[in-house]
Amino acid sequence: MSKINRKLPIALCAVAASAGIALSVAPAASATIGSTTTNFSMSCNGTQTTFPYISQDQAQSYGVTVNHQLSGANQSFAVSIASQTVPTSAFGYTVTGLSNMKIRVQVDGSTYVSHSLSGGSGYTGTATATKKTSTPTGNAIIEIAIPNVAAGAVFTPPTLTVIQGSTVAPKFSTGNGGNGTAATQNEGKYGDDAGNFYAFDSTVTGVPIYGTVTAPTSCLPTDVQFPSTSGAGAFPVLNAGAGVLHS
C-alpha cells in the first residue's frame, strides 16, 4: 500500500516549544550557583503510523532555565520550561489537542538522590516524573509525563528539581549526540522517540476522507528542518540544546 504524504497540522512546534530540559551522553561538570537560560531551535517530526501515513515536520524556537543551588550536602538543579500556546488550527485543519506528552532529562545517575515536580498549569490530568534508563545508551533520565493539553491552552510544564551528589548539570536525552555533533544511536534520531527529549501525540480533525488523525511526534535540538537530507530516521547535527544547560 503506497504512502500518502500530506501536510498535517501537528501543532508540534508551536506547542513543542515548551519543553526544555537537558541532557547528553557525557555530562560536563557545572559548579556555578545560579540560573542559566538556554535558547535553541528544535525540529519535530510527526507521522501517522497507520494508513494514510500522513507526515508533518516543523522547526521551533525553544528555551529552558536551569537553577543550580545547594541542598544540604548535595546539589539541587531546578529545570523550568517556558510556557507555550497550543494552536487551534494549522494548515486548514482543526487541532483538538496534544496527549501523552513526554519530556526527558538526563541526570547523573551515579550520584542521584531524588527528584520532584512543582508548579505547572494549563493541562489536564496529573503530571508525573519517573526515573528511567534510556535505550540503547543506558543513560539515567527523568521522564516527565503530561496527560493532555487542549487546543488553545496556554500551558507550562511543571518544574523538575533533581537532587544529586555531584555538580554535573542535567541535559536533554539525545542519544550519543552532543552540541555540534550528530546523534549516533536510535534513541537520538527522528522517528524513534524512546530517548528523544520531547515527544507527544497531536490530534487534528477535518482531514479529507479520514476525518480525525493522531500523529506520534518527537523532537530534537537541531537547526535542521524537514524535509531535508537529514530527514526522518537520520542522525542530525545537534545544537546548543543538546549541550550542558547550566554553566
Side-chain angles (χ1 to χ4, degrees), residues 134-139 173-175 185-189 192 194-196 220:
S134 64
T135 303
T137 54
N139 296 318
S173 186
T174 54
Q185 295 288 341
N186 288 340
E187 66 181 279
K189 69 179 182 180
D192 292 313
N196 291 349
L220 285 176

Side-chain angles (χ1 to χ4, degrees), residues 114-135:
S114 65
H115 70 272
S116 62
L117 291 180
S118 61
S121 62
Y123 52 84
T124 57
T126 301
T128 60
T130 306
K131 185 173 182 291
K132 296 185 174 183
T133 299
S134 64
T135 303

Side-chain angles (χ1 to χ4, degrees), residues 1-246:
M1 200 173 285
S2 62
K3 293 187 177 181
I4 298 176
N5 291 318
R6 214 175 266 173
K7 291 293 182 183
L8 184 87
I10 307 200
L12 17 97
C13 296
V15 134
S18 72
I21 330 196
L23 39 85
S24 173
V25 170
S30 170
T32 304
I33 299 298
S35 295
T36 297
T37 297
T38 302
N39 296 305
F40 59 94
S41 175
M42 70 176 181
S43 187
C44 302
N45 172 252
T47 303
Q48 167 67 8
T49 54
T50 58
F51 190 78
Y53 306 110
I54 297 174
S55 179
Q56 172 67 29
D57 311 295
Q58 293 182 354
Q60 179 82 11
S61 297
Y62 211 73
V64 57
T65 297
V66 176
N67 186 4
H68 177 201
Q69 299 294 330
L70 297 178
S71 178
N74 294 311
Q75 311 292 317
S76 170
F77 290 93
V79 181
S80 300
I81 302 163
S83 62
Q84 185 67 28
T85 301
V86 180
T88 56
S89 63
F91 304 106
Y93 302 123
T94 299
V95 177
T96 61
L98 307 181
S99 59
N100 302 318
M101 183 177 293
K102 302 290 190 299
I103 301 169
R104 303 177 175 103
V105 181
Q106 182 180 315
V107 299
D108 181 3
S110 64
T111 68
Y112 165 85
V113 176
S114 65
H115 70 272
S116 62
L117 291 180
S118 61
S121 62
Y123 52 84
T124 57
T126 301
T128 60
T130 306
K131 185 173 182 291
K132 296 185 174 183
T133 299
S134 64
T135 303
T137 54
N139 296 318
I141 63 172
I142 307 297
E143 181 179 272
I144 301 171
I146 298 175
N148 295 286
V149 185
V154 178
F155 81 100
T156 303
T159 294
L160 170 67
T161 299
V162 178
I163 306 298
Q164 60 187 41
S166 74
T167 58
V168 173
K171 301 184 72 176
F172 278 128
S173 186
T174 54
N176 280 340
N179 190 358
T181 354
T184 56
Q185 295 288 341
N186 288 340
E187 66 181 279
K189 69 179 182 180
Y190 296 110
D192 292 313
D193 58 23
N196 291 349
F197 89 99
Y198 195 36
F200 55 88
D201 293 336
S202 179
T203 302
V204 299
T205 61
V207 179
I209 301 176
Y210 303 102
T212 300
V213 174
T214 297
T217 303
S218 62
C219 310
L220 285 176
T222 178
D223 296 330
V224 176
Q225 182 177 359
F226 293 104
S228 72
T229 54
S230 293
F235 302 113
V237 172
L238 306 182
N239 58 29
V244 176
L245 298 185
H246 184 74

